Amino acid sequence: MKLALGTAQFGLKYGISNQKGQITLSDAKDILDTARELGINMLDTASAYGNSESFLGELNSRDFQIVTKAPPHIKQGVSMEKWLKSQLNISLKNLRSPSLYGFLLHKANMIHSGTVKEIIKMVNEARDSGLIKKFGVSVYNPEELDVIIHIKEIQLVQAPFNLLDRRLEKSGWLQRLYDNGIEVHLGSVFLQGLLLLKNHLLPAQFMQWRGIFRSWEDWLQKSESDAIQTCLAGVSDRRVSRVVIGVESARQLRQVADAALFASQSTFPDLTCNDLNLINPVNWRSI
């Protein structure tokens, strides 16, 4: 299993289980140094992650492969081609990097009949100039992939996948992406840390699903399994290129990296849930 280090915590108070808030520059440096030591060579960030890109630039992260995302909303009155070029240049400047491994659209709905030609033109120019290696899109629902599967310039997709949210696999999209040679990066593997919380620490808003979390905790106890390793086992798949994980400290990163070594040999329970209010964190604000 190849890990990529997610850096939302570098610029935001990110994650339902986050007790520290946005991490400090010193902690971020320790995390990056530990990633290097562990052989983790890819960082995942986004312009929407607060000052995460600037943090990474200040910390001299050019030795990592970096994937970032353009903002989720385009500026009104600007062509998609011009806007993407501008956002790419801003990210490169913030990151203090000459090029990116991946440059993604933050939302698939930014691709439609009126923007496809402009996107393709920008992507080809950026590749020819050596500014990006791969262009892609971040999705929140596998159905969004219907829009992009036939666009050959899209070579990378980031999508949520975890013990509760199995849509990418059950819909057949994981296999379809693999068959089309599109690189897959999985996010939300711990569901923003929700799957690592003890039952008695669950926020009140999640009590309506307490049966699922009780089953999860019972399974861990009966099987004497580690939650981190089991979550990683649930996303261990030869069709996946990277599993993006976020941490708050170098110690946490070591824990995850150690668990990843044995994830493919571990079992995991069927906790599949189709309730979007639970499996899509975007909806948590309204529950």
Side-chain angles (χ1 to χ4, degrees), residues 62-249:
R62 291 174 58 175
D63 54 322
F64 288 91
Q65 295 177 326
I66 301 178
V67 177
T68 193
K69 308 172 194 70
H73 304 290
I74 185 171
K75 185 178 179 180
Q76 292 295 321
V78 180
S79 72
M80 175 62 82
E81 180 189 355
K82 183 177 180 180
W83 180 79
L84 278 176
K85 286 181 178 178
S86 173
Q87 294 306 318
L88 174 58
N89 287 330
I90 290 171
S91 288
L92 289 171
K93 182 178 180 180
N94 287 338
L95 291 161
R96 304 182 191 179
S97 177
S99 63
L100 298 172
Y101 179 85
F103 185 56
L104 312 183
L105 293 178
H106 213 126
K107 291 185 176 181
N109 64 11
M110 301 178 81
I111 303 174
H112 52 76
S113 58
T115 62
V116 171
K117 288 185 178 179
E118 292 186 0
I119 290 172
I120 290 173
K121 184 179 179 183
M122 177 271 169
V123 170
N124 287 332
E125 288 181 0
R127 283 182 183 154
D128 291 345
S129 301
L131 298 180
I132 63 173
K133 182 175 182 180
K134 296 193 175 185
F135 181 78
V137 63
S138 174
V139 300
Y140 299 90
N141 187 326
E143 294 176 359
E144 297 171 353
L145 292 167
D146 285 319
V147 179
I148 65 100
I149 190 65
H150 301 298
I151 303 174
K152 64 181 178 64
E153 285 76 13
I154 292 179
Q155 297 178 309
L156 197 163
V157 164
Q158 186 177 110
F161 193 49
N162 53 63
L163 293 178
L164 296 176
D165 184 358
R166 313 294 295 176
R167 292 174 295 167
L168 190 67
E169 178 183 53
K170 292 184 177 296
S171 64
W173 269 110
L174 181 57
Q175 184 62 45
R176 193 173 175 187
L177 291 170
Y178 181 78
D179 291 342
N180 279 272
I182 296 176
E183 187 170 322
V184 177
H185 293 189
L186 300 181
S188 201
V189 296
F190 304 124
L191 198 54
Q192 290 199 15
L194 190 63
L195 287 166
L196 304 182
L197 289 176
K198 297 292 185 181
N199 265 1
H200 69 279
L201 296 177
L202 283 174
Q205 69 199 93
F206 297 103
M207 285 300 102
Q208 57 186 296
W209 298 288
R210 57 185 174 275
I212 293 175
F213 292 105
R214 187 179 298 118
S215 296
W216 169 226
E217 196 164 271
D218 288 347
W219 188 93
L220 288 172
Q221 291 176 353
K222 290 177 181 177
S223 62
E224 298 182 344
S225 299
D226 173 72
I228 294 176
Q229 186 170 318
T230 304
C231 285
L232 292 173
V235 301
S236 179
D237 193 294
R238 64 179 179 80
R239 297 167 292 187
V240 174
S241 295
R242 297 278 180 162
V243 174
V244 181
I245 52 97
V247 297
E248 299 167 31
S249 66

